[in-house]
Amino acid sequence: MKPSSIFNLFKKIAKISSFKEDYIQTLISSGVKIIDSKSVLIDDSVEISPGSVIYPSTYLIGKTKIASNCIIGPNTTISNSSVGSNSIVMSSVILDSFIGENNEIGPFSFIRESSSTEENVVIGNFVEIKSSKIGKNSKSKHLSYIGDAEINENVNFGAGFVMANYDGKNKNKSIIEDNVFIGSNSTVISPVVIKNDAIIGAGSVVNEDVLSGDKVAGKPARSIKN
């Protein structure tokens, strides 16, 4: 069985023999607030801008960049990723991804490789994002999986959403356009396109494209607009 990316990351962390105290002190002198320098691990390849706060039990690894006025941690791991200014990342893991400005990530979020978020995005508790782009002002606050997707602006995911991106042989991509509302416990079976201003009823299974402004519900989801 091929080791997962998170497994390989923690193998790397285990090999780091010191906490790089000198570099941590350099960050503190530059204006970074580190609450407990003994409990964090920060690679000397990591860049952190002044005004950011690093809470205990946080690991910052590789080519990671933390912009100004961020709150990182506690209990957070970020590897080879960027976090935009004024963002909060709490009790979460971010790998090989880009987080935009004014984001709220966590607690217990998992942002996997090749993902990105734009401004004012909320990724909440027990939400996993993989190889996906999340547009401005979009939110997934609870218990969801979004994989291989392009999510545009002002999209809201209800709790329990699943992007079914794997058909047993291939990973497939879906696109969700602006201002889409997706009800709780819904499933999108990729590849589909959900166009602007569509509404997906709670508990629906979407297995074909949804037209702009349409309202769909059911298993499989069908139009109920009229």
Side-chain angles (χ1 to χ4, degrees):
M1 181 175 68
K2 183 179 178 180
S4 67
S5 55
I6 189 68
F7 179 79
N8 286 329
L9 172 65
F10 280 100
K11 284 179 64 178
K12 177 181 177 181
I13 290 172
K15 292 179 180 178
I16 297 176
S17 58
S18 72
F19 283 83
K20 302 182 183 292
E21 283 287 351
D22 290 345
Y23 186 58
I24 289 174
Q25 292 304 315
T26 298
L27 290 171
I28 293 172
S29 298
S30 74
V32 177
K33 186 174 182 179
I34 298 177
I35 302 299
D36 181 3
S37 62
K38 298 295 185 180
S39 73
V40 300
L41 190 154
I42 303 175
D43 259 347
D44 53 16
S45 55
V46 172
E47 300 177 20
I48 307 176
S49 295
S52 286
V53 181
I54 311 301
Y55 277 86
S57 300
T58 292
Y59 295 166
L60 304 177
I61 308 298
K63 295 181 179 180
T64 289
K65 295 182 179 181
I66 309 297
S68 59
N69 303 312
C70 290
I71 298 175
I72 308 297
N75 304 310
T76 291
T77 298
I78 303 176
S79 175
N80 296 317
S81 299
S82 296
V83 178
S85 59
N86 303 300
S87 290
I88 299 171
V89 182
M90 180 192 302
S91 300
S92 296
V93 176
I94 301 174
L95 307 179
D96 304 296
S97 294
F98 175 85
I99 303 300
E101 297 180 356
N102 300 300
N103 276 213
E104 296 179 18
I105 308 296
F108 314 118
S109 301
F110 187 14
I111 313 296
R112 293 172 54 193
E113 64 277 2
S114 304
S115 294
S116 65
T117 65
E118 296 183 352
E119 294 90 342
N120 305 313
V121 168
V122 179
I123 303 298
N125 53 288
F126 303 103
V127 176
E128 180 177 348
I129 310 292
K130 178 256 177 185
S131 301
S132 295
K133 172 189 171 185
I134 313 295
K136 295 178 183 177
N137 304 310
S138 291
K139 299 177 181 180
S140 180
K141 289 191 172 183
H142 317 281
L143 302 162
S144 295
Y145 172 71
I146 300 171
D148 299 286
E150 182 177 331
I151 311 301
N152 287 5
E153 298 182 11
N154 302 306
V155 176
N156 186 87
F157 294 92
F161 171 80
V162 173
M163 182 73 72
N165 58 322
Y166 183 54
D167 62 9
K169 185 179 294 185
N170 299 306
K171 298 290 179 68
N172 299 297
K173 180 179 179 180
S174 284
I175 298 173
I176 300 178
E177 296 184 351
D178 296 345
N179 307 311
V180 171
F181 181 90
I182 299 179
S184 296
N185 296 316
S186 296
T187 300
V188 168
I189 301 176
S190 298
V192 299
V193 177
I194 301 176
K195 293 190 173 293
N196 296 328
D197 305 301
I199 297 175
I200 312 301
S204 298
V205 177
V206 179
N207 62 356
E208 60 182 38
D209 293 353
V210 178
L211 298 177
S212 180
D214 204 359
K215 299 177 182 179
V216 303
K219 302 177 182 179
R222 294 297 181 258
S223 179
I224 59 170
K225 185 176 180 180
N226 297 320

